[in-house]
Structure formats: structure tokens, C-alpha cells
Amino acid sequence: MKRLTALLLSCLLLAGCGGEALPAPAEEDRLVIYTSHPQSLYAPLVREFEERTGIWVQVETGGTAALLDRLEAERDAPACDLLFGGGADSLTARKELFAPYVSPLAGEVEPGYLCPDGSWTPFSILPVVLIYNPVLVRVNPPEGWESLLDPVWRGRIAFASPTVSGASYTALASMVQALPGEDVLEAFYRNLDGRALSDITRVVEAVADAVAEGSCPVGVTAESAALAAAEAGRDVALVYPREGAGAPPDGMAVIRGCAHEDNARRFIDFALGLDAQRYARRECQRRPVRQDLLAEGEEDLILLDYDVEQAAAGREALLARWRALEEAS
């Protein structure tokens, strides 16, 4: 688990040239966030929130699955106030950890993206896509979820373990919902040939790195990471699965019993605001959830009729099957 303390912390340690220590922020002016988002997304938003509110923010990062497990372990004495990141399927599966909250800006959000019981709040839409290296794959690139079961790609697929990555869990759940048969997960795991990425901190970006650098010619990752890699001129091309892309919103949730609940709610309101949503779209390649900012030009994106409740209800069983495969290999 990496630990990042916002810029303000350095000011608490030394005050200017005189070196005098500044007083620590009052308890009511603190906020602790756990996030699975990349630093390029969360850091500017946290800085802007601090400047607007005067609230001191401490951020800790990790994969969605690991952060949810940590929240479960801390349930009796929460150390975190807000979970920022994680797909709707993963958040719904662990909604007992969260204190329901309906932001006054919820009316600005596309209704289909809202959580019915308010246990989490959507932040952006993040389809899961296939990627490939166009230098290495000149003909017959993957076309959809079924392509990932083709023996031609055995041992050549970059994929983060769903025990670490929320995006990978969404990908697995999408695959299971899109393809017939009861052994889809097992067939896909066999085709990975033991190459699932697990001990990594930059979960989503690491898949794009593996494809761009050629260690794996094909991968499965979040659309934002794929677009960022392609726009940076790297050898990454996107494929929206022909069966449909799973695209549940990623969200934010106030931790039940946390110490700074009001500040967590203020951050959610800030993140739903026009400025934060525009930043996420413009700089981070994320589709906004606000009705007045819905992305255009989505003709290439076919959405899977993704059942969030089914994915949430089956999460622990699916991950248990995955872990059993890991142990057996």
C-alpha cells in the first residue's frame, strides 16, 4: 500500500524559511481518502478540494479489491472516511461498509448511473476494453470476449488479477455474462497460462504498459488507460468487444462510522461538480456521469446489458473460483 500525503503536509512540518512548525489541522478539518485511481486523476482533484475548502486531505492508494478488504478489516474502527474509486459491482457487493448519502447534485446525474439505495455515488463511466499492439498484431486482432479464449493468445494476454483490480473483476463478470457455458472463467484462466498480474501498484496502467512494450500483444484494461496510452503515441490500439463492453460506473462512498463524514460528503459534492467532471473527461479520458456532460461520438461503443446486481451478488463466488485456480496452478 503506497501512502501519499497531500502537499499541505509538508507545510505542517516546516513553515517557510524560519522552520517553525505550523499547528496540525483541527480534527474537523481533516479527510482520509482511500483510492484506486491513478495519481494523475486524484492528485489535482484533491489539491483543488483542499484549496476550496481548507480541509486537509490524506490519501492512501491501492487496488479496489485490496482497499475493500482493508475497509472490512477496519470496520470496527474506521481509519478512512471516503472510498474514491471502484466499480459499481464491487461497491455494491460490499455496501454494508458504507453510509448511504444522496448528494444535492444527484439530480444532475444520468438516472441510470445512480445507486438505488444511495450506498455509493457514481463518479465516471469506465468501460472495460480489449487492447492490442498493432506492431505485433498486424492481422486478426481480437474482436471480443470470445477472442480471449482462442488458443492463439495462450500466454500472450496482459490481465490484472481480479483479486487486485476492480476493472479486471468487471471484465470477468462481463465475460461470464456475455458468453455461454459455465466454464468461461476457467477457460480464460487457462489461456492466461499463469501470467495474471497481481503484485503491482499501477494495476490498470500496467496492462497497457505490457501491451505497448510487447511483453504481451493483447490485454484487457479500462478505457481511460487505453486511450491515454494511444494518445501518448504508444503501440496500443483499442477494441470495444463485439458482444458489448461492461461499463458500470465507478463510484465514491462514505465509510460507515467514519470520523469525518461531513467532509467526505463535501468531497462527493465537489466531485460531481462541473469543474471536477470536466477535468476527468478532458485530462483523464473518463466519461462523465452528469447529464449535461454526457460524451458524444460513442458509435464504436456497444454496451453489454451488464447486470450490476448479478455481478455484485456473484463477486465472492467468482473470486473464490479464481483463487482456487491460482492455488491449483
Side-chain angles (χ1 to χ4, degrees):
M1 179 74 63
K2 292 196 313 180
R3 191 180 189 89
L4 180 142
T5 305
L7 182 61
L8 187 56
L9 179 59
S10 61
C11 297
L12 298 177
L13 301 177
L14 291 175
C17 297
E20 296 179 5
L22 291 175
E27 191 62 33
E28 62 269 20
D29 294 329
R30 296 172 181 257
L31 175 65
V32 179
I33 294 177
Y34 289 176
T35 185
S36 55
H37 289 311
Q39 186 175 354
S40 57
L41 172 63
Y42 75 75
L45 292 178
V46 165
R47 285 197 298 268
E48 182 66 20
F49 177 75
E50 288 181 322
E51 290 175 5
R52 292 189 185 190
T53 64
I55 293 170
W56 177 79
V57 181
Q58 176 182 321
V59 180
E60 300 204 21
T61 64
T64 297
L67 291 176
L68 286 169
D69 288 344
R70 183 175 180 184
L71 289 171
E72 176 65 39
E74 296 172 350
R75 186 192 291 211
D76 293 336
C80 172
D81 304 306
L82 177 75
L83 181 64
F84 184 34
D89 39 19
S90 295
L91 300 184
T92 299
R94 306 294 285 274
K95 65 182 181 180
E96 72 279 359
L97 298 172
F98 309 132
Y101 173 60
V102 178
S103 169
L105 293 177
E108 306 296 325
V109 175
E110 179 66 22
Y113 299 148
L114 292 169
C115 175
D117 63 9
S119 58
W120 50 264
T121 301
F123 173 67
S124 67
I125 305 303
L126 203 58
V128 177
V129 301
L130 312 184
I131 58 176
Y132 67 94
N133 186 312
V135 175
L136 301 177
V137 184
R138 296 181 179 272
V139 296
N140 300 323
E143 297 179 343
W145 299 117
E146 189 173 11
S147 300
L148 300 179
L149 308 184
D150 190 328
V152 73
W153 302 120
R154 185 176 179 90
R156 305 173 70 200
I157 303 170
F159 186 75
S161 170
T163 62
V164 175
S165 166
S168 288
Y169 177 74
T170 298
L172 274 187
S174 297
M175 207 179 305
V176 168
Q177 291 185 25
L179 301 179
E182 297 182 357
D183 63 344
V184 170
L185 181 147
E186 287 77 10
F188 175 62
Y189 185 88
R190 288 194 298 271
N191 224 29
L192 291 177
D193 202 22
R195 297 196 63 176
L197 305 170
S198 58
D199 187 19
I200 50 179
T201 54
R202 296 171 59 252
V203 178
V204 174
E205 293 85 352
V207 171
D209 289 346
V211 172
E213 294 163 6
S215 60
C216 288
V218 171
V220 185
T221 191
E223 181 190 46
S224 60
L227 288 173
E231 290 194 1
R234 307 186 73 189
D235 291 324
V236 170
L238 278 73
V239 175
Y240 294 101
R242 63 184 177 185
E243 303 94 343
D250 68 291
M252 314 170 273
V254 180
I255 308 307
R256 188 180 297 275
C258 68
H260 312 105
E261 185 169 340
D262 287 344
N263 293 342
R265 291 178 172 182
R266 290 180 71 180
F267 188 90
I268 288 176
D269 297 343
F270 163 77
L272 284 182
L274 275 170
D275 290 344
Q277 290 277 299
R278 282 173 174 154
Y279 172 80
R281 181 177 66 178
R282 183 182 67 249
E283 302 295 337
C284 303
Q285 310 293 345
R286 288 175 176 259
R287 300 172 186 260
V289 296
R290 289 179 60 105
Q291 297 180 72
D292 51 0
L293 293 178
L294 290 181
E296 298 178 357
E298 298 181 357
E299 58 273 7
D300 292 334
L301 176 61
I302 300 173
L303 287 178
L304 180 69
D305 187 14
Y306 187 78
D307 190 329
V308 171
E309 293 295 333
Q310 177 183 324
R315 182 176 183 272
E316 294 308 315
L318 204 63
L319 292 181
R321 288 166 60 189
W322 183 273
R323 292 188 180 98
L325 290 168
E326 288 181 326
E327 292 172 2
S329 60

